[in-house]
């Protein structure tokens, strides 16, 4: 027997309609990068999104067709989020920090017909355009007098086109399972893979991130969205902030510590999200501000951190500098991205601050609707005891069920998606990522977590950044090598570093050598990139290896 409830579809256009109707004066602020800020409201954003809908239809884009962006976090990008998806077309947000050949691959593989780009990326666009023959138009996100001097097919000015478009548009009542946007994985291990989100998955994900024991976004929040809108839909914040009616602050490409600090201060931001490297730059800048001034300036109560493990130092500093709670979350492109969020339970009420910091080091508990579990190599479920490590798998309504036009065996018959992460889960369901499966160090049949070792290395005051990789060892099969970057003006020797590690890790986890470098390689999303490191240290031989004696 079916329930007698209405079959309204879950659509992205309903989010902007809600924000414009119920929070019409709530602001959206964009940093344009030239010292100017653009300000308008959710109501104006709806009007402009409808103009975008008319604009792309005038370009001949129909439902299901892909439209790409190469753009930073601005109001224009937000309008494209709503205007493109609202018509039934698919917004493919491309990361401009990828290698040109990967961008070309994504534009071609997605079959995008138009590219909307920020003008400071004009040189990149000119470079890739000849390799993307089916792109009919490149639209510069600027005013007519800011048009870049370049020759690419169908070059047009966004604001000039918008000026000719009506703001009258009726959103079509699409099937909620229609595709709405597409993001590609960053392709650090092979070609980028397309993840095709639907209206339904996007709305459910936004709803779950608004929940109190999640990102808890409300109409009283001012949200600084640092996560790029080309990275997994900016963690869904362009949608969840509309759903909640929050003020939205968009930093453009201005992500220096000083800029982030000023935006948090000037826009009275209460919440923000980003990757640990962004937080490090912010905290470095904040260190130069008087402590009382800092508390007056910054009213942020929580910062959401994900993409890689947040070092304890960052968690402690947010508490010390601003009285803010650093909330770790875990997810990936394939999972929309948010699956787990770290919020304390009633049993944690009496924790000391130090114990609470320990808790904050975990990646959190799964949101309702999603399921997470760990498995061994044979596919058996492993216990949630806080120390058994296994392959992390996930399933739920905002988890991908396949890649776009790409075969992959990451899914099993029960919908479990193998994330490629190794993890533990404790009895309360808190997730701890111990490694990417390919980064695990296998020593004498046991596993050593490179993330745990990096975390301990980073707790040394003289260490700026740390990477641990497993290298061949004649007896143990693999042993850990610790590679570190010293903080400016600070010194530490390899022996001192090993002493520090010895005091904090099991004896058999102790790295066999320490190497100092000036910098470490990163991916286009700012994460440690271990592939080139392993190559660089391919012929490294441990002094502890008898084969070298
Ligand atoms: P990529 O595969 O290109 O890095 P994603 O941006 O989708 O793509 O990154 C997802 C990965 O980031 C996860 O599989 C996990 O390894 C890592 N990650 C995300 N959040 C956390 C976290 N809180 N702690 C540790 N690692 C994390």
């Amino acid at each position: 027997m079916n329930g007698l409830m209405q079959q309204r579809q879950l659509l992205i256009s309903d989010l902007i309609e809600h924000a414009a109707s119920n929070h019409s004066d709530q602001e959206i602020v964009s940093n344009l990068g030239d010292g100017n800020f653009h300000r308008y409201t959710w109501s104006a954003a709806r009007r402009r999104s409808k103009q975008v809908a008319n604009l792309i239809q005038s370009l001949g884009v129909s439902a299901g067709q892909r439209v790409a962006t190469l753009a930073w976090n601005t109001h224009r990008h937000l309008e494209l989020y709503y205007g493109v998806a609202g018509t039934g077309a698919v917004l493919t947000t491309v990361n401009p920090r990828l290698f040109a050949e990967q961008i070309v691959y994504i534009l071609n593989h997605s079959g995008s017909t138009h590219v909307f780009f920020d003008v400071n990326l004009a040189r990149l666009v000119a470079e890739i355009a000849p390799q993307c023959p089916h792109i009919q138009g490149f639209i510069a996100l600027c005013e007519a007098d800011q048009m870049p001097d370049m020759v690419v097919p169908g070059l047009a000015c966004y604001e000039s086109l918008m000026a000719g478009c009506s703001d009258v548009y009726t959103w079509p009542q699409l099937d909620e399972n229609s595709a709405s946007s597409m993001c590609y994985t960053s392709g650090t291990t092979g070609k980028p893979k397309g993840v095709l989100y639907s209206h339904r998955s996007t709305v459910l994900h936004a709803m779950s991130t608004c929940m109190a024991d999640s990102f808890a976004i409300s109409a009283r929040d001012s949200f600084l969205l640092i996560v790029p809108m080309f990275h997994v839909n900016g963690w869904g914040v362009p949608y969840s902030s509309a759903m909640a009616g929050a003020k939205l602050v968009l930093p453009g490409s201005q992500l220096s510590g000083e800029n982030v600090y000023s935006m948090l201060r000037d826009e009275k931001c209460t919440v923000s999200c980003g990757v640990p490297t962004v937080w490090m730059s912010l905290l470095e800048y904040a260190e130069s501000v008087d402590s009382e001034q800092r508390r007056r300036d910054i009213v942020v109560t929580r910062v959401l951190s994900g993409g890689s493990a947040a070092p304890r130092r960052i968690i402690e500093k947010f508490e010390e500098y601003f009285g803010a709670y650093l909330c770790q979350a875990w997810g990936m492109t394939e999972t929309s991205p948010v699956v787990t969020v770290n919020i304390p339970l009633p049993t944690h009420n009496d924790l000391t601050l130090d114990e609470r910091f320990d808790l904050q080091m975990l990646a959190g508990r799964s949101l309702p609707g999603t399921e997470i579990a760990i498995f061994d190599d044979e596919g058996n479920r492993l216990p949630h005891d806080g120390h058994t490590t296994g392959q992390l798998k996930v399933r739920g309504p905002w988890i991908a069920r396949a890649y776009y036009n790409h075969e992959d065996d990451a899914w099993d018959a029960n919908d479990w998606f193998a994330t490629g992460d190794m993890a533990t889960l404790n009895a309360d369901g808190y997730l701890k990522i111990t490694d990417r499966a390919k980064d695990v160090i296998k020593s004498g049949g046991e596993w050593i977590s490179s993330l745990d070792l990096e975390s301990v290395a980073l707790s040394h005051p003289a260490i700026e950044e740390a990477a641990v990789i497993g290298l061949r060892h004649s007896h143990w099969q693999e042993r850990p090598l610790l590679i570190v970057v010293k903080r400016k003006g600070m010194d530490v020797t390899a022996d001192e570093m090993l002493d520090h590690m010895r005091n904090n890790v099991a004896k058999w986890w102790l790295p066999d050598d320490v190497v100092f470098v000036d910098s470490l390689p990163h991916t286009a999303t700012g994460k440690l990139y271990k592939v080139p490191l392993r190559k660089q240290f391919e012929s490294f031989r441990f002094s502890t290896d008898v084969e070298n004696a």
Side-chain angles (χ1 to χ4, degrees):
M1 183 183 187
N2 285 336
L4 291 172
M5 307 310 283
Q6 299 186 0
Q7 288 286 308
R8 294 285 297 182
Q9 302 295 291
L10 301 174
L11 298 180
I12 287 172
S13 52
D14 286 335
L15 301 181
I16 189 109
E17 283 299 323
H18 170 81
S21 308
N22 295 280
H23 307 276
S24 58
D25 296 335
Q26 184 67 284
E27 262 189 318
I28 297 160
V29 183
S30 298
N31 189 339
L32 299 180
D34 52 5
N36 289 315
F37 285 77
H38 174 275
R39 288 172 187 277
Y40 69 0
T41 60
W42 279 111
S43 156
R46 169 175 62 181
R47 243 187 346 265
R48 297 257 302 178
S49 301
K50 291 189 169 195
Q51 283 179 278
V52 169
N54 284 320
L55 190 165
I56 62 157
Q57 293 200 332
S58 73
L59 294 173
V61 175
S62 52
Q65 276 189 7
R66 275 78 60 209
V67 167
T69 57
L70 275 167
W72 310 110
N73 293 12
T74 68
H75 62 292
R76 293 183 177 120
H77 207 173
L78 185 76
E79 295 155 10
L80 288 160
Y81 259 57
Y82 284 101
V84 172
T87 67
V90 180
L91 192 75
T92 305
T93 53
V94 188
N95 181 350
R97 297 198 187 104
L98 293 173
F99 293 121
E101 67 193 64
Q102 289 175 313
I103 297 177
V104 167
Y105 175 84
I106 293 170
L107 292 175
N108 289 335
H109 186 267
S110 64
S112 297
T113 54
H114 294 80
V115 179
F116 289 77
F117 67 98
D118 271 323
V119 281
N120 64 1
L121 298 168
R123 189 181 295 186
L124 172 69
V125 169
E127 181 188 341
I128 57 167
Q131 299 164 70
C132 305
H134 53 264
I135 291 183
Q136 299 159 21
F138 288 88
I139 297 108
L141 293 164
C142 62
E143 303 284 353
D145 60 359
Q146 296 168 327
M147 279 300 281
D149 181 16
M150 63 197 293
V151 182
V152 286
L155 180 65
C157 166
Y158 179 73
E159 291 300 343
S160 305
L161 293 177
M162 287 284 273
C165 289
S166 158
D167 60 6
V168 178
Y169 183 84
T170 307
W171 304 115
Q173 281 303 305
L174 306 165
D175 177 335
E176 64 182 10
N177 293 305
S178 317
S180 55
S181 67
M182 176 142 70
C183 292
Y184 278 73
T185 61
S186 48
T188 45
T189 51
K191 292 242 184 296
K193 291 176 268 191
V195 179
L196 191 56
Y197 310 98
S198 67
H199 284 258
R200 174 186 156 82
S201 71
T202 303
V203 172
L204 290 175
H205 176 263
M207 211 174 252
S208 81
T209 50
C210 283
M211 288 170 58
D213 279 348
S214 181
F215 291 0
I217 310 172
S218 84
R220 289 156 308 284
D221 276 317
S222 167
F223 201 125
L224 176 63
L225 175 56
I226 299 179
V227 172
M229 288 167 73
F230 53 72
H231 197 201
V232 211
N233 296 317
W235 294 3
V237 173
Y239 309 114
S240 50
S241 55
M243 183 175 263
K247 171 174 169 180
L248 186 59
V249 184
L250 301 169
S253 56
Q254 309 299 305
L255 297 183
S256 69
E258 184 173 2
N259 281 323
V260 170
Y261 188 96
S262 321
M263 285 181 282
L264 286 173
R265 180 193 58 210
D266 299 344
E267 302 306 328
K268 303 204 169 15
C269 295
T270 51
V271 54
S272 183
C273 63
V275 294
T277 35
V278 167
W279 301 137
M280 284 195 237
S281 322
L282 167 68
L283 292 168
E284 227 164 79
Y285 175 77
E287 208 171 333
S288 66
V289 181
D290 168 72
S291 62
E292 281 177 24
Q293 183 68 38
R294 245 179 352 224
R295 286 281 182 144
R296 276 197 301 276
D297 283 347
I298 307 294
V299 296
V300 77
T301 57
R302 58 209 190 279
V303 288
L304 309 159
S305 182
S308 56
R312 190 185 169 103
R313 177 157 84 212
I314 298 187
I315 297 172
E316 293 171 355
K317 288 251 152 93
F318 267 108
E319 180 65 41
E320 181 194 332
Y321 287 5
F322 315 119
Y325 179 84
L326 182 135
C327 172
Q328 287 217 62
W330 173 89
M332 54 202 305
T333 307
E334 290 87 337
T335 66
S336 291
V338 187
V339 175
T340 69
V341 181
N342 189 334
I343 301 290
L345 293 169
T347 47
H348 301 127
N349 283 350
D350 298 326
L351 294 186
T352 62
L353 197 54
D354 236 25
E355 288 166 340
R356 204 198 73 196
F357 291 149
D358 287 342
L359 179 73
Q360 284 174 261
M361 295 285 288
L362 305 176
R365 307 166 78 229
S366 59
L367 293 172
T370 62
E371 276 180 275
I372 52 175
I374 47 173
F375 294 82
D376 67 15
D377 287 346
E378 280 71 50
N380 303 308
R381 282 178 86 139
L382 294 170
H384 297 182
D385 56 13
H387 64 263
T388 306
T389 305
Q391 298 176 32
L392 177 64
K393 296 190 180 180
V394 54
R395 60 184 179 186
W398 54 91
I399 312 301
R401 64 179 164 84
Y403 292 113
Y404 177 68
N405 283 347
H406 175 101
E407 293 287 320
D408 204 282
D409 57 6
W411 290 266
D412 71 15
N414 299 315
D415 276 350
W416 284 111
F417 167 68
T419 63
D421 281 346
M422 304 303 295
T424 63
L425 278 163
N426 72 16
D428 287 328
Y430 284 85
L431 172 72
K432 179 179 175 199
I433 303 294
T434 56
D435 252 312
R436 283 290 181 100
K438 59 185 185 309
D439 293 337
V440 157
I441 300 159
K442 297 190 188 82
S443 174
E446 298 284 349
W447 288 353
I448 297 176
S449 157
S450 65
L451 290 191
D452 276 351
L453 290 178
E454 286 159 13
S455 165
V456 173
L458 280 172
S459 67
H460 191 288
I463 297 305
E464 175 75 33
E465 218 182 350
V468 173
I469 54 171
L471 292 178
R472 200 183 70 82
H473 189 283
S474 61
H475 179 69
W476 295 109
Q477 179 186 1
E478 275 186 347
R479 288 298 301 162
L481 172 70
L482 172 61
I483 308 163
V484 284
V485 180
K486 288 185 219 168
R487 297 186 85 177
K488 257 193 224 106
M490 302 200 77
D491 209 9
V492 57
T493 65
D495 283 342
E496 285 164 352
M497 213 44 229
L498 286 176
D499 281 343
H500 169 76
M501 302 297 291
R502 199 172 282 117
N503 294 333
N504 292 287
V505 300
K507 197 164 160 234
W508 64 277
W509 278 38
L510 193 68
D512 283 38
D513 268 309
V514 183
V515 176
F516 296 94
V517 293
D518 291 335
S519 64
L520 288 167
H522 294 97
T523 67
T525 51
K527 300 181 197 197
L528 269 179
Y529 192 18
K530 294 191 181 174
V531 176
L533 268 185
R534 276 191 278 267
K535 185 117 200 78
Q536 185 182 343
F537 289 94
E538 212 167 33
S539 49
F540 185 93
R541 291 289 170 262
F542 290 114
S543 49
T544 52
D545 195 339
V546 285
E547 228 179 41
N548 295 325

